Amino acid sequence: MNGTIDGFSYGLVTPLAAYVMACLGSALGLRCVVRTVHRDPGWRVGWLSLGAASLGCGIWTMHFIAMTGFSVRQTPITYDVPLTVLSLVVAIVVVSAGVFIVGYRGAAPATLTLAGGITGMGVAAMHYLGMSAMRLNGDIRYDKLTVALSVVIALVAATAALWAAVSVRGFLRSLGASLVMGLAVSGMHYTGMAALSVHLHTGTAQAADGPSGVSLLLPMLLGPVVFLILAGVVVMFDPVLVLGDGTWNKPISRRAVAADSPNSAVGAGRQSSPVPRTGWCRD
């Protein structure tokens, strides 16, 4: 007997909240990569690490916020804690590999293909590893064609996001790329969920060992959400990311440099001006 699956137990609340977190993580990740590719590469390792962690946490948070709205009417759902934590680690580590490849090797087609493939597979691995952490009174089965489609979406979304990070300039364009990336990641998640079916075991439904979805996921989501907020504060206080090509970071004009040079007429006039001395000054 197949279970009745409901992916929207709380209506549009969980899909919208998941999309917002995916956009937030994507925006922070892309802006940090932009910081190292188009601007002063100082502290490159730190910025790329922050971007990769933000992107990984955003994707993971999106997935499990969406999972709080997932239910099977005939059986309770619990989660395996180590596998759930491992899915977060996989998301951050694999996404970091793709981000660092682009951050250090640039936007060549071969580089983007490699980095996008690694990052996309990391997103897909995080999703299906998180799904394998579910425990219920039945067997979880997947439609192979729909699973393959979800993996393709993850690969395309990851490659497009990394391309945007190294190619799109300007705050509004980066924001637009983040919104598209959030939509693609959410689309990958719900495509993967559409591939799922539950074949219930015969007999009375019994709760599996482990904490229930809400009691486990809500406390676990707190840490990544706080991290994303703190990462957002760091990005907001970095003038390179906030002000972009403002006058504060433009090089001094040649005229201004010449005016300050002792070899120029203006500079020579400044240097030849005698310094007034008072009677108490010593040579």
Side-chain angles (χ1 to χ4, degrees), residues 22 26 52 55-60 62-64 87-96 98-99 115-131 150-159 161-162 181-182 184-190 192:
S26 299
L55 188 56
C57 284
I59 295 171
W60 186 88
M62 176 280 304
H63 171 81
F64 281 102
S87 66
L88 173 61
V89 175
V90 168
I92 295 176
V93 170
V94 181
V95 167
S96 297
V99 168
I118 292 174
T119 304
M121 291 305 297
V123 173
M126 179 279 302
H127 172 84
Y128 289 105
L129 187 59
M131 294 300 297
S150 70
V151 174
V152 170
I153 294 174
L155 293 173
V156 173
T159 304
L162 294 176
M181 176 62 178
V185 171
S186 298
M188 178 269 162
H189 170 85
Y190 285 104

Side-chain angles (χ1 to χ4, degrees), residues 15-100:
L16 290 177
Y19 174 67
V20 169
M21 296 310 299
C23 291
L24 176 59
S26 299
L28 293 175
L30 297 184
R31 295 299 288 170
C32 288
V33 176
V34 167
R35 175 65 166 78
T36 62
V37 173
H38 296 309
R39 309 295 183 211
D40 179 12
W43 297 95
R44 175 177 292 179
V45 173
W47 283 110
L48 290 177
S49 299
L50 180 62
S54 298
L55 188 56
C57 284
I59 295 171
W60 186 88
T61 304
M62 176 280 304
H63 171 81
F64 281 102
I65 286 179
M67 290 306 297
T68 59
F70 177 82
S71 64
V72 180
R73 295 181 182 177
Q74 293 86 352
T75 177
I77 299 175
T78 61
Y79 285 85
D80 180 87
V81 175
L83 277 179
T84 303
V85 175
L86 180 61
S87 66
L88 173 61
V89 175
V90 168
I92 295 176
V93 170
V94 181
V95 167
S96 297
V99 168
F100 270 78

Side-chain angles (χ1 to χ4, degrees), residues 130-216:
M131 294 300 297
S132 68
M134 288 195 306
R135 300 289 181 264
L136 47 78
N137 186 43
D139 296 323
I140 298 176
R141 299 175 182 177
Y142 292 97
D143 178 73
K144 295 181 180 179
L145 182 60
T146 310
V147 169
L149 177 60
S150 70
V151 174
V152 170
I153 294 174
L155 293 173
V156 173
T159 304
L162 294 176
W163 173 85
V166 297
S167 303
V168 176
R169 298 197 183 191
F171 176 77
L172 292 180
R173 292 182 180 180
S174 295
L175 179 61
S178 302
L179 296 177
V180 174
M181 176 62 178
L183 183 63
V185 171
S186 298
M188 178 269 162
H189 170 85
Y190 285 104
T191 301
M193 296 305 296
L196 179 146
S197 62
V198 176
H199 183 74
L200 298 173
H201 294 160
T202 58
T204 306
Q206 296 180 354
D209 294 333
S212 64
V214 174
S215 64
L216 169 68

